[in-house]
Amino acid sequence: MENQAAIAAITDAIENYYFKGIYEGDEILLGKIFHPGTLLFGDVKGEPYFKTIDLYLDGVKNRQSPKFSGKPFRGEIINIKVINSIAVAEVNVKMYDFNYRDLLSFHKFDGKWIIVNKMLTDLSK
């Protein structure tokens, strides 16, 4: 029962903060779901990718949002695994000409699930 509540809360966070913030280019909304010390690692079009959360949110703020780009956007939750106060969500984000697979690490702080790490890879090679 507790696991189902955690999965529901994480699903809500992903859909209403993560996907919506990325889609609308709303770095304030998106920033609410990330821990201030979050680091992002992965690859984009085969090139290594690393950013702090501040650099990432600044990039979201200063690019054309998928909402106004005229290109398709689709966020999909593939899987959420919860163990006590930690969780990992595997999600897919199709935007611009990219097809990202993200692994989002969550931790529950003060009753709220927030992202503490993001790993991503671009599947559209």
Side-chain angles (χ1 to χ4, degrees):
M1 192 68 106
E2 188 176 312
N3 236 17
Q4 293 297 6
I7 289 170
I10 292 167
T11 297
D12 179 69
I14 292 169
E15 290 177 347
N16 294 308
Y17 291 88
Y18 187 70
F19 290 155
K20 187 174 184 193
I22 291 170
Y23 176 67
E24 295 179 353
D26 185 340
E27 85 283 358
I28 304 294
L29 180 67
L30 188 57
K32 290 179 180 179
I33 198 62
F34 283 97
H35 184 275
T38 300
L39 298 176
L40 296 81
F41 294 93
D43 62 84
V44 177
K45 298 219 180 281
E47 293 298 314
Y49 179 98
F50 165 76
K51 288 193 177 175
T52 62
I53 190 58
D54 290 338
L55 285 172
Y56 172 69
L57 292 173
D58 192 55
V60 168
K61 179 173 97 171
N62 290 305
R63 71 179 179 211
Q64 184 181 43
S65 70
K67 181 177 182 177
F68 294 110
S69 72
K71 295 192 175 194
F73 176 90
R74 183 163 173 254
E76 175 188 12
I77 298 171
I78 296 167
N79 191 348
I80 299 172
K81 179 152 176 94
V82 178
I83 306 166
N84 295 326
S85 67
I86 62 171
V88 175
E90 182 179 359
V91 304
N92 207 77
V93 178
K94 290 183 180 181
M95 57 186 257
Y96 308 120
D97 298 320
F98 299 97
N99 183 22
Y100 293 114
R101 184 67 50 94
D102 300 344
L103 297 177
L104 306 172
S105 298
F106 282 83
H107 189 280
K108 191 174 184 182
F109 287 99
D110 298 323
K112 182 180 173 190
W113 288 95
I114 62 169
I115 299 169
V116 295
N117 180 262
K118 174 179 172 176
M119 293 181 55
L120 64 138
T121 190
D122 177 17
L123 302 175
S124 60
K125 299 175 202 165

